[in-house]
């Protein structure tokens, strides 16, 4: 059992120890899951263990998308032990690395990083709403070119995202 106390620790632990196990279980929020998965992605594919997830975070967007029980660790653990593995898409951005459920730019993208952990524990999802309200004065546009299989979109955007989730904090 490894307990994390700061950003990037879950990634580093998963990268260092993950290859020694058949199954790694992550208990935490979307960010902890993302870090754990990013660490496992650094391992050669043949050494990458399966990943179980016990959602204990504030928003739990990934758990909601996957239909996992939120803040029910016993039930989630039962599902991991009895469940059928599912494939989950992992994105990769040049120069940034891997991401599990969202890569975004623009308005409100810093809110989840800047929202105080204690405030999230106390207020839950409302902490993100308050952080979003605080960020209203910083909104600006970004020039972007988005290439896709059917063409190109170019313009000024206040927000852009690629998501692997039904909701985002």
């Amino acid at each position: 059992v490894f307990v994390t106390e700061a950003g990037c620790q879950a990634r580093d632990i998963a990268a260092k120890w993950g290859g020694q196990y058949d199954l790694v279980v992550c208990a935490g929020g979307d960010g902890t899951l993302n870090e754990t998965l990013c660490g496992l992605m650094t391992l050669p594919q043949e050494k990458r263990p399966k990943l179980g997830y016990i959602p204990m975070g504030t928003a739990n967007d990934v758990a909601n998308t996957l239909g996992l029980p939120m803040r029910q660790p016993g039930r989630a653990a039962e599902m991991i032990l009895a469940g059928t593995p599912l494939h989950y898409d992992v994105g990769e951005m040049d120069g940034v690395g891997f991401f599990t459920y969202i890569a975004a730019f623009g308005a409100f993208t810093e809110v989840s990083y800047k929202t105080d952990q204690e405030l999230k524990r106390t207020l839950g999802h409302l902490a993100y709403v308050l952080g979003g309200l605080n960020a209203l004065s910083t909104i600006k546009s970004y020039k972007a070119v988005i290439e896709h299989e059917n063409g190109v979109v170019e313009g000024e955007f206040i927000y852009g995202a690629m998501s692997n989730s039904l909701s985002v904090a």
Side-chain angles (χ1 to χ4, degrees), residues 1-167:
V1 174
F2 295 92
V3 177
T4 61
E5 297 175 351
C8 299
Q9 282 185 322
R11 181 198 65 207
D12 296 343
I13 290 167
K16 181 176 180 179
W17 299 100
Q20 297 181 29
Y21 299 94
D22 296 325
L23 172 67
V24 169
V25 177
C26 165
D30 295 320
T32 305
L33 174 65
N34 182 67
E35 282 193 20
T36 303
L37 200 134
C38 288
L40 295 178
M41 291 301 293
T42 66
L43 300 172
Q45 188 168 358
E46 66 276 3
K47 291 193 173 214
R48 231 176 266 154
K50 291 178 182 163
L51 175 62
Y53 179 39
I54 299 176
M56 299 295 293
T58 305
N60 294 311
D61 291 318
V62 174
N64 184 46
T65 298
L66 297 175
L68 300 176
M70 294 184 271
R71 293 181 199 85
Q72 297 176 37
R75 178 70 186 118
E78 289 172 3
M79 289 178 71
I80 291 167
L81 294 174
T84 303
L86 71 106
H87 293 277
Y88 188 71
D89 292 330
V90 177
E92 183 177 13
M93 291 179 63
D94 289 340
V96 177
F98 298 101
F99 63 94
T100 54
Y101 93 108
I102 188 164
F105 69 87
F108 309 113
T109 55
E110 293 292 321
V111 170
S112 63
Y113 300 105
K114 290 184 177 179
T115 302
D116 181 72
Q117 194 67 29
E118 190 58 40
L119 196 60
K120 288 193 286 186
R121 281 190 201 98
T122 305
L123 299 178
H125 195 266
L126 180 60
Y128 290 122
V129 174
L130 294 174
L133 289 172
N134 191 42
L136 283 173
S137 64
T138 65
I139 294 176
K140 62 181 181 177
S141 65
Y142 297 84
K143 290 182 182 180
V145 178
I146 302 157
E147 298 178 27
H148 55 90
E149 61 189 30
N150 296 320
V152 176
V153 176
E154 189 171 348
E156 294 263 337
F157 303 91
I158 62 168
Y159 178 79
M162 184 180 336
S163 180
N164 197 15
S165 176
L166 297 173
S167 62

